[in-house]
Amino acid sequence: MASIGKGYDIAVVGGGPAGLASAKAAAEAGAKVIVFEDHPAIGTPVQCGELLSRSALVELDMRPSKRWLANEFRKVRLVSPGGTETLIEMPANVETPLFTIERKIWEKDLARLVSEAGATIVTRARVMDLIKRDGNICGVKVRHLKEDLKVEAKVVLGCDGPGSPIGRKAGIKIPTSPAKYASIAQYQLAGIDIDQDMGEVHFYPSPRDICYILPKGDGYANVGYGTLGTGTDKAITMLDGFVRHDPRLAKGSIIETNVGVEPISGVHEEISADRLLLVGDAAGMVNPLTVAGMRFSAWAGVRAGRLAVDAINDGDASKERLGGLRDDFQKLFGKRFRFMDALRTTVFGLEPRDLDDMFAHLGHVKVPARLFRGKREPVFYPLRMLVGLLIKKPRFFKKLGPLIKARRGVE
Amino acid sequence: MVTCDQEKCMFCGGCVAVCAKEAIAVYELRVVVDPERCIDCGNCITVCPVGAMGRP
């Protein structure tokens, strides 16, 4: 076991996906890197639905492993408050983009790669503050097993999750309005009777209340509820209501409870200070509709690690230089995030009968295999099919018209 | 000032994320609210997924 030394190139605050991805990339680029994780274990507590995108694995140069790949599925069922449903089915002959993982094991596997790359990971290490000399950030103060340590670093990467306490200590403005965050509660349910080849999204009891079922294989699944902080009731109360209402779920046992709050206003206006850069949930890099974060953390972590090393080598770790990560992120995901945000706002504004009509119109959607080739993503396909609905039911022109138009810019 | 019901709390840190005054800290199994800083804005009460934050 490596002891905590004093001087590092890069100190990473937080050992989640963003922190581990950053550390891996930076260590591979030759930097001396240390990761501080407050919790006693990497991978716990689970604060996500454990749905991972293949692109995250590509970014991290990881291969799917039997140790943590839980379940692949090809169908997604959407159910309206009134019980009308649509089924979206991926073709059988392509790699499905939908799979769940055992996050606790996956993250430990990633930590192993980080360690093999030469970085040091320390658990039970809480970063208390930044060290500043003449106003310049030059390291972090860490409490590790009741001991207070000062660890010097040329660049600090803040991967400390939603709200980023470390970013705020550096003077970065982080949104705090509850309207910019989703509250989520999730159970792992065991002994339930669901189709393991199908994920489900239920708008229950209203179009603003999003309940999901992510199958993990062998009769268990992550079942969760999420909405804006200003939702109908507490996330856990809404989740209890959903589980009770669905007899397939009600017969199961709760074997784990996970809760959390995630930013849904897109990447924050500012994500850097001199010698400090925020990555992942800390920087708001979360899909504003699906609240998916791991693939963005993986993408941004790899770039942040390399950027920090380049910045150190060039002797310029200024706010502007490190903030280049935000520009790159926006170039790649900005339009999509804005669209997802618009989609959420639109869905939240719909009447329950609107969803009934939409889902009845869609029916059984088979996504064609050709959409899986190249860089286009098949998620927009069902939306394109809604164009026909505008003609059938003109009231949707006002409700969906702008959205379907906006899709063209993203697809 | 808001307080945290430690029996309901799952220690997710959501209250810390939305606290406008950096008045809340979550230690592993303990949530601490700084009464000097808390302005009683209620952000933490709104977002808490389990209803642990509240006014006494």
Side-chain angles (χ1 to χ4, degrees), chain A residues 38-40 45 47 124 126 128 143 162-165 168-169 174-179 181 183-185 229-230 234-237 257-261, chain B residues 8-28 30 37 41-53:
Chain A
D38 185 19
H39 290 100
Q47 288 183 329
R124 300 169 80 186
R126 166 175 285 247
M128 308 298 291
R143 185 166 292 166
S164 187
R168 292 204 220 178
K169 285 192 192 299
I174 308 283
T176 54
S177 158
Y181 287 84
S183 298
I184 301 154
T230 47
K234 288 298 162 196
I236 199 126
T237 310
T257 305
N258 313 118
V259 304
V261 167
Chain B
K8 281 188 184 171
C9 180
M10 295 281 300
F11 311 97
C12 72
C15 48
V16 180
V18 297
C19 181
K21 293 289 167 188
E22 293 163 56
I24 310 178
V26 180
Y27 296 91
E28 204 166 303
R30 196 160 51 95
R37 289 186 171 197
C41 67
N43 283 1
C44 55
I45 300 175
T46 307
V47 301
C48 178
V50 294
M53 302 303 288

Side-chain angles (χ1 to χ4, degrees), chain A residues 7-40:
Chain A
Y8 287 85
D9 294 315
I10 296 167
V12 180
V13 184
L20 294 174
S22 304
K24 180 172 179 285
E28 282 169 354
K32 196 178 172 201
V33 182
I34 189 160
V35 182
F36 296 109
E37 170 55 46
D38 185 19
H39 290 100

